[in-house]
Amino acid sequence: MRQLILFVALFGFIAMAAPTEKIIIQTNAICGMCKTSIEASLTALEGVKSAELDLVTKKVKIKYDDKVLDAATLRQAIANTGYNADDVPARPKAQEALAACCKPKEACAKEAAGACCAKKVVE
Ligand SMILES: [Cu+2]
């Protein structure tokens, strides 16, 4: 019993030592490739514990340490990857560099008939 109390106390202490914030950011991800690149760019950041994008809602759920980075940094990382993040617009150059099927329809329409937009990769 004593050991159990000690274990719970220790676990609680460790959990407190690494505070985790949660945030949900709206993106304009389209397919599985978008999901992979957004999640990868976020989890590459120091302080990000996890990032999970839901392709139905296009929202990414991020768990992070708010002592290491803040919400603005997270949104900027998504924008730098080529996607909108809440009110932060995608960095144009990064958006241009995305695979054709990952570009939003407006960007795609500038290309030949925008046929690439019809293609959606479903996981
Ligand atoms: Cu995509």
Side-chain angles (χ1 to χ4, degrees):
M1 191 61 197
R2 195 179 197 184
Q3 272 181 321
L4 183 72
I5 292 167
L6 207 70
F7 178 76
V8 171
L10 189 72
F11 187 78
F13 181 75
I14 291 168
M16 275 199 299
T20 304
E21 275 297 315
K22 271 185 231 164
I23 191 172
I24 293 172
I25 297 174
Q26 182 70 57
T27 74
N28 59 338
I30 297 167
C31 70
M33 231 152 69
C34 305
K35 175 179 157 74
T36 306
S37 48
I38 290 172
E39 288 174 349
S41 69
L42 288 167
T43 50
L45 297 173
E46 201 195 324
V48 173
K49 310 231 162 94
S50 69
E52 206 188 320
L53 191 136
D54 181 340
L55 276 175
V56 177
T57 61
K58 304 175 194 295
K59 285 177 180 163
V60 60
K61 201 192 293 174
I62 307 161
K63 286 183 189 166
Y64 67 102
D65 184 346
D66 65 352
K67 282 186 180 151
V68 182
L69 42 76
D70 59 9
T73 308
L74 296 169
R75 290 192 187 97
Q76 199 56 59
I78 297 170
N80 288 345
T81 313
Y83 300 93
N84 299 337
D86 290 337
D87 54 351
V88 181
R91 212 177 106 226
K93 275 194 176 168
Q95 194 179 63
E96 264 171 51
L98 293 177
C101 68
C102 295
K103 290 182 191 175
K105 285 200 168 75
E106 314 89 73
C108 217
K110 291 180 202 151
E111 292 172 24
C116 56
C117 293
K119 250 193 311 181
K120 278 193 185 176
V121 180
V122 180
E123 278 188 319

